[in-house]
Amino acid sequence: MPVLVSLVLRRLLGALPSIAAVVVVTFVLTRALPGDPAAYFAGPAADAQSVEEIRRKLGLDKPLPVQFLAYLGDLAQGEMGTSLITGQPVSADILARLPASVELTLCGLALALAVSLPLGVAAATRPGSWVDHMARVISTAGVSLPVFFTGLLLVYIFYYLLGWAPAPMGRLDLFASAPTTITGFYLVDSLITGQFATFRAAAAQLVLPALTLGLFALAPLTRMTRASMLGVLGSDFIRTARAGGLSRGTVLVTYALRNALLPVVTTLGMVFSFLLGANVLVEKVFAWPGIGSYAIEALVASDYAPVQGFILTMAIMYVGLNLMIDILYGLIDPRVRIEA
Amino acid sequence: MMLLEIDNLSLNFRTRSGVVKALEDVSLSVGRGETLGVVGESGSGKSVLSFAVMGISDAAATVSQGAIRFEGLDLLKAGPSDLDELRGAEMAMIFQNPRTALNPIRPVGRQIADVLLRHAGVTRAQAQDKAVEMLARVRIPDPERRAKAYPFEMSGGMCQRVMIALALACSPKLLIADEPTTGLDVTTQAAIMDLVGELARESRMATLLITHDLGLAAERCDRIAVMHAGHVVEVAPTAELFARPRHPYTARLISTTPRPGASLAALEPIPGSLPDLRGELAPCRYSARCHLYQAECDAGPLPRQDDNGRMVACRRPA
Amino acid sequence: MRPLLDVVDLCRRFPVGKSQLHAVDMISLHVMPGEAVGLVGESGCGKSTLVRMLTRVLDPTEGSIRFDEREIGYIPAARFTRTPDRALIQMVFQDPTESLNPRFTAFDCIADPLRRLKGPWTTAGLKARVEDLAGMVGLPVELLGRFPHQLSGGQKARVGIARALGPEPRLLILDEPTSALDVSVQAVVLKLLDDLRRRLGVSYLFVSHDLNVVRLLCERVIVMYLGKVVESGPVEAVFATPRHPYTKALLSAIPSRGEEGGPRIRLSGEPRSPIDPSPQVCRFFGRCPLGADACQTEMPELREMGEGHRVACHTPMD
Amino acid sequence: MRYVLAENPVTAGAFVGFALLIALALFGPMIAPFDPLASDTDIALQPPSLAHWFGTDHLGRDILSRVIVAARLDMQIALAAVALSFVFGSLLGVLAGWYGGGIDRAIGRVVDTIMAFPLFVLAMGIVAALGNTVGNIIYATAIINLPFYARMARAETNARRDAGFVEAARLSGNSDARILAAQVFPNILPPMMVQVSLNLGYAILNAAGLSFIGLGVRPPTPEWGIMVAEGATYIVSGEWWIALFPGLVLMAAVFCFNLLGDGLRDIIDPRRRT
Amino acid sequence: QSRDETLLVVVESGTNSLDIHAVGANPASYGVVWNIYDRLLSYGTKTMPDGSLSYDHTNIKPELAESWKFTADDEITFYLRKDAKFHDGTPITAKDVKWSFDRMVAVGGFPTFQMKAGSLEKPEQFIAVDDHTFRVKLLRKDKLTVPDLGVPVPIVLNSELIKKHATEKDPWGLEWSKLNDAGGGAYKVESWKPGEQLVLARYDDWKSGPLPKLKKVVIRDVPSAGNRRALVERGDVDLSFDLPPKDSQELAKGGKVKVTGTPIENSLWYTGMGVKQPPFDNVKVRQAVAYALPYQKIMDAVVYGRAIPMFGGPATPTKAVWPQPSPYNTDMAKARKLLAEAGFPNGFETVIHINQGVASLSEPMATLVQESLGQIGIKATINKVPGANWRAAMLKKDMPLFIDTFAGWLNYPDYYFFWGYHGQNAVFNVMSYQNPEMDKLIDASRFETDAKKYEDQVKGFVKMAWDDVPRAPLFQYYLDAAMGKNVQGYTYWFHRAIDFRSISKK
Ligand SMILES: Nc1ncnc2c1ncn2[C@@H]1O[C@H](COP(=O)(O)OP(=O)(O)OP(=O)(O)O)[C@@H](O)[C@H]1O
Ligand SMILES: Nc1ncnc2c1ncn2[C@@H]1O[C@H](COP(=O)(O)OP(=O)(O)OP(=O)(O)O)[C@@H](O)[C@H]1O
Ligand SMILES: [Mg+2]
Ligand SMILES: [Mg+2]
């Protein structure tokens, strides 16, 4: 579909200045971090001299513009530098950890969608009823809880008190071995390779953190579903469909929900980017080896390269995400597709 | 037996600010092949009436009395599945503002096919073919291609034609047209109305034409019912209604409408506005605006049935 | 007598992607002092765009607008606000609800232009003037404290008219002032407008798509089709003997009550696109029942057909 | 308004809650039963009792008093941050929506750039870079919320740019600046107010999140987020009250703001006005 | 593999390098290096009074070197075991040792620094005599030289293997060894996901000691302390490290798991005062602060008894050990009096700096200190310095008041004082304390061979440290590990990492 291709190209081109700005801002921001990586990494007993030496080694003695150019040069070659805290190339770190974060976020989102869509639809079909009130209270409660608090609470109840959930220690318990890396998503990889025990283990580990994220995402999605569903249900073409004697299911799903999904998809994009932020906290609580926890550690250690790499990755993901939403939007809404 | 008989229908809406008495004691009937016009100011209950007939009233609506019989079947007592069978198949409806009345993200052919699939017992392919055929029937050029188009790709007039194709897909016996041409250009409007008339004539389909355009009603209807604030105040054959309006509201409505040849001075506005349909209402809802009002009107209007099918609900008809 | 408003070759194009939408294309017209001119045409033909340029809230792409001998077309809209002519051209909007700031009371709505364009005022003086205006349009003074959503459609229309009259304009432009109103309210407003014109001697440019209404109110009428003037002339002449096939179709499409009703002109086919239209082809070509070869090769110019009656057609009707 | 409140007890509750929060913020230090900073290690980690309704924390400080006193700071952070982002965000948005063209694109760029950051991480970065003072937390929160106001104000302004009443105002001789200030802005205010109340909640959550990763306000200043973060380490060992009560109050506050948003929406929805 | 031969360990944060010589290798790497590499020698084990095991700094025993002796006054010769092989099967030779030693004094940074502490400074000092004989030339007679060979730094790397991966820019192959196992120790790296987990597998051909019982060790990073506690408490992991004191105390009381706590040798938590920053340049002010500190509160509410109090001792030192309780105690009256004498009857304003990296301890301490100081009129605000910035802040030496800890690997008081108090002004002398008399005593004691004289010198500088109080000692912290009851053989090591070789499960 050439329309789609040109749309994609145009969006990507349009996003370039933002990405460039992100690169600059991130660079400046990281240099403004109070930590002195040279001093940090010079080791426990370094004197001023050896700190200077490390600084030289890290290239931090050069003026900022020079450092920036060097950084750009590296970026152009696809290099994001080396993380001092993990000792790995940042790109390798991110590649290894991104699937964990994305898998978690997607699961959280899926969970939220699985609840919020029916809930929103139910609330919209019966506005003012107890379902409606319940939807409102549940979703508001979900967004009122600080994610880390929810996470801790869930761990305390389901792991510590009840013992239903596995120990909150990352993507797999200690006995399961990671599946062969194909996509990096454990759930997918284990299914592809037929390691069902691993699948079960990975799924079990995912439940609580995904729930935590899902709870957070519930509110905006439910609200948006409800509001847009209400709007659509009140619109003329639903009346037409009913007057055409179409069955209730067809009217509700094929006619109403598909239209109502448009704003929900937009919200979905925003929620996804929110969740990527919330991930930072959730990963910390659940010892999740994703890029969020990676970023915090790097930030606290003033480890420039990973912070820059992380933010750049997120910015690119954000652009990609918006692109996907646009495409999704186009798939649902012919007006966008054709007028694009 | 008439095709559609509405008997003493009263309908209320429950709202946050009280009960809206949208219809009271409405009685109308439509025979096969007949076109009945329903006219009245905005808010007089025309749409509410048509929705009630189709059984697609708002959830807040309750029918407090009366019956709607379609070929003898009481629609108000029929089960939801029976109604679904009727709707779209036996009776169909076209709406005001055709653009918004079509699903914006579904190809129009599919929308017609949806209805056919539901009622006509055909396969998907057949339904699609039939949809194209219907589009051709309503004179949409290049129907094959247009079947795949979306409403936003069509002009208002074309959308209205699609609506008609959709409504007539299953050859219903009754078509309810709720202001089918408002919002369209006069030139388009005429074309659409011609089309509806033609199709109705072809299949002896009864039409309930709802409009606030007296001129349109005059031109297209066999009989006209005038509504005011939820009441049917007068029903008469078209020519007689215009020649000899008996209800004061009808008379004023006619004389307030600009028409070719008349002068500005001849326009006689109706004083006041529709009463608030919440709370207590005078038995004759027009009494507050009526220039002929007298104390006896407070006893309520007397529906007077005339031998040649005229009805007027007034104590002091002209 | 010199025209109050004299417009020559006015154009407005909107960029649509890489192309240009010719909303108003080389339009010339004039309005004499104290004259009421009607502007009719189907939806989207550029009436509002034209009118917005004339009221100087939109900048023309090309052409000249002379008001009372002064060229005002080149003054940017943002700057025109500060010229003395601002007060002299005022406008009444199509939708009375949308054109009133929902957070202003009726009083504020009427007082705003007075404060900006007239004055200085004392509080009492302003109040007196506003009440005076309200009285002029028949708006009860006690309604002045209300917000738009607390007023009925007719009342809102009156606020809009009072607002436009406040600065004592010499030219009042009315963009479909009654199309959102019920017939009974429409009648009231039309009478009011006519009455005001007679009393204040203001010139009107009255935009509408309802020919009956134009005929009631105006002395001269201009018919537009797709950004172009196709016919203009005295109301009587145009209505009696429309020369352009479009005007003819328009007139014949008016629902008549079977009283007169000459042969109906059916328009078939789809309107041409206003985007980058060919300058050689008549805009009406394709829908025109008379379409000739010349219509495809040469754009018809406006030609004088009789006293002030001009038409742009190669094959004018009689 | 009274009507909506009577109709909707939940909204009424939210209003009461909001008033309560304001009262706590104003008079908190006066009504707190104990000095929120006074430690007493003899009574550290005591569960809720009659003397200490919410129990005591690891340094023996009264949690109830800390929760009460924290209201002021949390409200300050939330209100200041939201006020900042509201003012600048809506200013940018209104300008972008009104003038369109180059200005719109430029402002859109800025907003897109902010949005392209994972917002919480941006806040982290700002606070980490500038230092964890209350001021910086407020700025960081304001910056990450700014795009929402800017976008909303832009959309709302854009929708009204060609509205009849705006054109009418121009005909009435109003200058652009005047139209923006007197006609457009008051009209976009109501939907923005809903956003404000929702954002108040997010601002508190954001501050709490920063506290959780150690970038919150300085100890021993009581702040709900910090209290939850501190208490988090005690959950597993069974001292649930340390995190729970501040967590509940935090949640109640955010809950209240969110419901308030819903309520405001009802109140300003013209269709609900009588 | 049976569960009995696998040890599951959770730590707060895992290693970032498999090579301690690499730039930025973090403390967790000490433990990895300890287990996957051999050194020439190591320390024996002793049983503590409470029955737990600890390394014995007085008992140096062979590891890769079967034996060693002073072959001259300035020369030690090491005789390597002949059967030792690296993980890739190549035999370990003196050439590897020489290369490894050259490397650590050449790469700079921490390894070089640590070796300097044992007067091991130049490549010329190291000689590979033959395949299994290695000689170290001494620059000076230093009692720390031999002990320093038992710290995690002087590991023996597979030189041939690494050289294959060395580049011009990186002649010592640090980039490669950082990510890869080049050792010959008891364990080899089976898999490593930085930031997630490290799996060690037993090297069955290990010859430098008795073959470890555990076949596999899984070390998982779990940042949340509560989770680490819950995991060990529920028996899901065998050993939980880096536990906060409160959890240790409660787990010990709870009885479900075994908690081993050993006071960290030669370490001290203290409140430091920048003696160059007025008003802390006034010794009376410093003493006032030392008397105003809420010592007992800190013991109770911050470390929950998982530490040895370092206050309320006799006025003069009785033993030549470090740390030992100082004579200070909480005495507000005295504090106020001293402050008034110093000319600050109404107190002053100042800032307490703490390291956010250890906030779980330093923050409550700072809060209590702040409150306590408030009572004598010193209004302090708390400034949390991000962990990354702490070292830079220490280097700057401009913090007026701060709470920190310092520990020395080698358990000698003079070692501690040399870094922490000496006027050479090393990083760890954060207070910028300079006292020529103390410097003299410290310098003398470092190379003192006479036990009696050494004792006097130590007591002398300890007394000075008390009187001048540039840092007010608080407590000596425990290193706590919680483990399942079936875990045997856990041993405390000065480097505060776990030696898996001695551990078994029952
Ligand atoms: N869902 C509803 N709830 C409450 N009142 C309603 C509802 N639907 C319609 N009404 C009221 O019923 C009355 C009749 O409305 P209806 O839509 O039938 O008028 P109409 O004659 O179709 O007007 P128009 O010409 O504007 O379409 C009005 O007063 C309207 O306010
Ligand atoms: N700002 C704009 N940008 C692009 N196209 C515009 C703009 N304003 C108007 N148009 C286009 O210009 C043409 C004329 O529009 P205009 O509103 O003037 O028509 P109109 O005759 O007033 O129609 P109506 O009777 O529906 O009010 C239409 O095709 C419209 O889509
Ligand atoms: Mg209607
Ligand atoms: Mg218009």
Side-chain angles (χ1 to χ4, degrees), chain E residues 402-418:
Chain E
F402 57 94
I403 296 174
D404 198 13
T405 178
F406 175 63
W409 273 356
L410 302 175
N411 190 9
Y412 300 90
D414 46 312
Y415 183 72
Y416 190 103
F417 271 74
F418 180 70

Side-chain angles (χ1 to χ4, degrees), chain B residues 42-43 45-48 50-51 96 178-179 210:
Chain B
S42 178
K46 306 183 296 289
S47 297
V48 171
S50 59
F51 296 162
Q96 178 177 2
D178 186 0
E179 316 217 8
I210 291 171

Side-chain angles (χ1 to χ4, degrees), chain E residues 366-484:
Chain E
T367 311
L368 291 172
V369 168
Q370 177 199 40
E371 193 193 359
S372 229
L373 291 182
Q375 288 171 20
I376 59 168
I378 302 177
K379 281 180 276 305
T381 50
I382 298 173
N383 187 11
K384 284 205 268 187
V385 181
N389 199 22
W390 186 246
R391 190 132 291 140
M394 284 167 70
L395 272 170
K396 257 197 239 150
K397 299 186 189 257
D398 60 356
M399 297 186 283
L401 198 60
F402 57 94
I403 296 174
D404 198 13
T405 178
F406 175 63
W409 273 356
L410 302 175
N411 190 9
Y412 300 90
D414 46 312
Y415 183 72
Y416 190 103
F417 271 74
F418 180 70
W419 295 114
Y421 283 90
H422 195 284
Q424 57 155 343
N425 219 351
V427 207
F428 299 112
N429 181 357
V430 195
M431 311 81 65
S432 296
Y433 177 66
Q434 271 165 327
N435 180 347
E437 275 177 59
M438 185 193 265
D439 292 354
K440 239 187 274 163
L441 283 177
I442 296 172
D443 289 337
S445 67
R446 288 180 69 201
F447 304 102
E448 184 57 65
T449 42
D450 182 311
K452 178 73 190 70
K453 269 196 207 152
Y454 178 72
E455 191 177 323
D456 285 343
Q457 285 157 352
V458 170
K459 282 180 185 171
F461 60 64
V462 170
K463 175 87 170 95
M464 282 179 204
W466 287 353
D467 291 345
D468 272 354
V469 280
R471 45 174 67 157
L474 295 171
F475 55 82
Q476 183 185 6
Y477 194 45
Y478 280 4
L479 180 70
D480 282 320
M483 60 204 94

Side-chain angles (χ1 to χ4, degrees), chain C:
Chain C
M1 204 162 47
R2 298 212 170 262
L4 177 66
L5 180 76
D6 192 7
V7 176
V8 181
D9 291 346
L10 201 60
C11 293
R12 174 70 205 204
R13 293 185 284 271
F14 293 107
V16 178
K18 285 192 196 73
S19 342
Q20 299 265 313
L21 186 148
H22 294 233
V24 167
D25 197 4
M26 298 288 276
I27 282 189
S28 303
L29 57 83
H30 66 272
V31 179
M32 305 301 281
E35 192 188 26
V37 177
L39 182 64
V40 296
E42 70 183 355
S43 175
C45 70
K47 302 185 296 290
S48 297
T49 307
L50 173 62
V51 150
R52 289 174 69 223
M53 289 191 283
L54 302 185
T55 49
R56 301 302 301 107
V57 291
L58 183 72
D59 290 323
T61 311
E62 268 169 46
S64 105
I65 305 170
R66 292 177 71 78
F67 179 75
D68 200 17
E69 312 273 285
R70 292 182 293 280
E71 175 62 47
I72 58 169
Y74 68 91
I75 306 174
R79 250 197 30 232
F80 189 72
T81 353
R82 295 197 290 273
T83 67
D85 285 334
R86 174 71 285 165
L88 301 181
I89 306 175
Q90 286 293 316
M91 164 145 149
V92 178
F93 291 85
Q94 172 165 12
D95 186 343
T97 309
E98 206 232 7
S99 65
L100 298 181
N101 188 334
R103 308 190 77 77
F104 274 22
T105 59
F107 182 91
D108 291 329
C109 287
I110 301 174
D112 190 44
L114 296 175
R115 287 204 192 95
R116 304 283 148 256
L117 300 172
K118 299 271 160 182
W121 298 93
T122 60
T123 315
L126 186 67
K127 185 160 180 285
R129 174 74 177 133
V130 171
E131 287 178 358
D132 188 30
L133 283 165
M136 211 186 290
V137 298
L139 186 70
V141 174
E142 45 301 353
L143 296 185
L144 284 177
R146 294 207 187 166
F147 286 96
H149 68 268
Q150 298 167 316
L151 296 172
S152 77
Q155 289 163 342
K156 278 184 277 201
R158 286 169 208 234
V159 173
I161 296 168
R163 170 173 66 187
L165 292 176
E168 296 166 2
R170 296 181 54 198
L171 175 65
L172 191 59
I173 295 177
L174 304 111
D175 189 1
E176 311 197 23
T178 60
S179 66
L181 304 175
D182 246 328
V183 269
S184 63
V185 185
Q186 166 177 300
V188 177
V189 173
L190 290 180
K191 287 191 140 183
L192 171 69
L193 286 173
D194 191 55
D195 179 53
L196 286 173
R197 184 164 78 90
R198 285 178 210 294
R199 279 197 288 149
L200 305 177
V202 185
S203 305
Y204 280 4
L205 182 63
F206 188 97
V207 180
S208 180
H209 57 243
D210 188 337
L211 289 155
N212 283 331
V213 170
V214 169
R215 180 181 209 168
L216 286 176
L217 208 64
C218 304
E219 289 140 9
R220 214 148 51 76
V221 62
I222 299 169
V223 184
M224 267 179 83
Y225 186 82
L226 271 188
K228 289 239 173 233
V229 173
V230 293
E231 186 161 1
S232 73
V235 166
E236 305 310 327
V238 173
F239 273 67
T241 52
R243 310 300 288 265
H244 195 281
Y246 175 68
T247 318
K248 187 109 179 163
L250 208 56
L251 284 169
S252 72
I254 301 173
S256 56
R257 285 173 207 159
E259 298 150 13
E260 334 154 13
R264 166 155 301 169
I265 301 238
R266 282 246 173 100
L267 295 182
S268 54
E270 292 300 309
R272 306 186 77 80
S273 161
I275 296 171
D276 286 340
S278 159
Q280 265 84 49
V281 185
C282 172
R283 294 281 157 85
F284 194 48
F285 184 77
R287 275 182 101 192
C288 183
L290 309 176
D293 287 345
C295 305
Q296 275 188 83
T297 52
E298 192 192 344
M299 175 73 74
E301 295 291 320
L302 270 180
R303 278 183 296 157
E304 191 85 27
M305 300 295 292
E307 264 177 69
H309 191 164
R310 288 142 63 89
V311 63
C313 184
H314 293 303
T315 51
M317 310 176 103
D318 39 27

